[in-house]
Amino acid sequence: MVVGMLCALGAAVCFGIASVFQAVAARAATPGSGSGVDARLLMRALRQWRYVAGLGLDTAGFALELVALRVLPIYAVGAALAASLAVTAVAAARMLKVRLRGVEWAAVAAVCGGLGMLGLASGREGDGVGSTALRWGVLATSFAVLGLGVIAGRLPDRARAAALGFGAGIGFGVVEVSVRLVDDLSPGAVLSNPAAYALLIGGGAAFLLLTSALQRGSVTAATAGMVIGETVGPALVGVIALGDRTRPGLAPLAFAGFALAVLGALALARFGEGGAPPEPESA
């Protein structure tokens, strides 16, 4: 349990710092078509060393997240990953020259307190394996994320960033649930499991949407939308369909900790405009 929570928090640190690196790189890249699903923008962002560094951190964070999801309920991992927004805020304050006010520091403290409560109350992951319908459902959701990106890309900049971030969060939530649904790692079982394809499509779509969100909008507003998308839905799936539970008698503490961590993260959505993006680089 302790190892799982440490891995989840380590993943949050990696994801939080990666978001700022990727935001700096996406803003420095030549603007794309403005679509929420812009693969060419991703290719241009990949020419920026900061974006590549962010991907490296994302890879490390994903590895830590996989370990955490194997020993902790989805709701605990999701809330821990919400702490990435607090990390993003602190990192953005340094790298993007944005000032943190007292209310933002209070929100960071709320996230940390909520995670502490969750750590005390969380039980082990549920033993449910999920139904065939759930596996096909997460695959359908992964495709829906791409459709959401197309629609969100047409919105005004601030709403666009939040909507694309939300879509990215749904994509990352698909990854969280899919990890639990891929229980048999033999080649034949993986190739015949819709959740395995959902993991790849959902993760890829999430990266596309998040890159577009960070290119023209607030770093933290985009990440706040992502927090909503990747915490609430997967947590409900874990409890309802996969048997995730708390320690006996500590369900109220777990619920309060989850709510405090997520609300603290969302409070940071008011922060992080970061000023005007830097001038695009030709490379």
Side-chain angles (χ1 to χ4, degrees):
M1 292 289 292
V2 175
V3 173
M5 185 57 74
L6 288 176
C7 286
L9 292 174
V13 171
C14 290
F15 292 147
I17 297 175
S19 290
V20 180
F21 273 123
Q22 289 162 349
V24 173
R27 293 179 177 193
T30 304
S33 64
S35 169
V37 183
D38 189 348
R40 288 178 296 177
L41 172 61
L42 180 60
M43 292 298 101
R44 287 190 292 274
L46 284 169
R47 299 176 185 174
Q48 310 287 330
W49 71 265
R50 290 182 183 85
Y51 198 90
V52 176
L55 286 180
L57 287 168
D58 279 331
T59 301
F62 182 63
L64 292 170
E65 181 185 358
L66 287 178
V67 175
L69 284 168
R70 290 298 182 183
V71 296
L72 290 176
I74 292 177
Y75 67 79
V77 177
L81 294 181
S84 67
L85 188 56
V87 177
T88 295
V90 175
R94 181 176 181 84
M95 296 177 63
L96 299 181
K97 310 301 182 185
V98 180
R99 184 178 180 181
L100 276 174
R101 300 173 298 171
V103 66
E104 278 95 36
W105 284 115
V108 171
V111 171
C112 295
L115 291 176
M117 295 163 66
L118 262 179
L120 291 174
S122 296
R124 295 188 63 83
E125 66 168 342
D127 55 6
V129 296
S131 64
T132 300
L134 179 59
R135 288 174 166 79
W136 283 106
V138 293
L139 180 57
T141 303
S142 69
F143 283 109
V145 170
L146 292 171
L148 177 59
V150 173
I151 296 171
R154 300 172 181 172
L155 297 174
D157 281 358
R158 184 170 179 80
R160 178 181 182 274
L164 287 172
F166 178 68
I170 295 176
F172 289 130
V174 166
V175 171
E176 292 175 24
V177 175
S178 296
V179 167
R180 290 279 297 275
L181 296 177
V182 182
D183 52 339
D184 186 345
L185 298 180
S186 63
V190 169
L191 291 174
S192 62
N193 190 341
Y197 301 99
L199 191 155
L200 296 176
I201 296 169
F207 270 112
L208 282 175
L209 269 61
L210 187 58
T211 300
S212 295
L214 296 176
Q215 206 271 333
R216 278 173 34 186
S218 161
V219 179
T220 314
T223 313
M226 183 176 69
V227 165
I228 298 174
E230 74 177 346
T231 52
V232 179
L236 290 175
V237 171
V239 171
I240 296 171
L242 299 177
D244 288 348
R245 296 293 183 267
T246 65
R247 293 181 181 179
L250 294 182
L253 182 63
F255 179 82
F258 180 87
L260 185 60
V262 174
L263 290 174
L266 293 179
L268 289 167
R270 297 168 60 88
F271 153 83
E273 289 305 313
E279 290 298 320
E281 296 178 3
S282 58

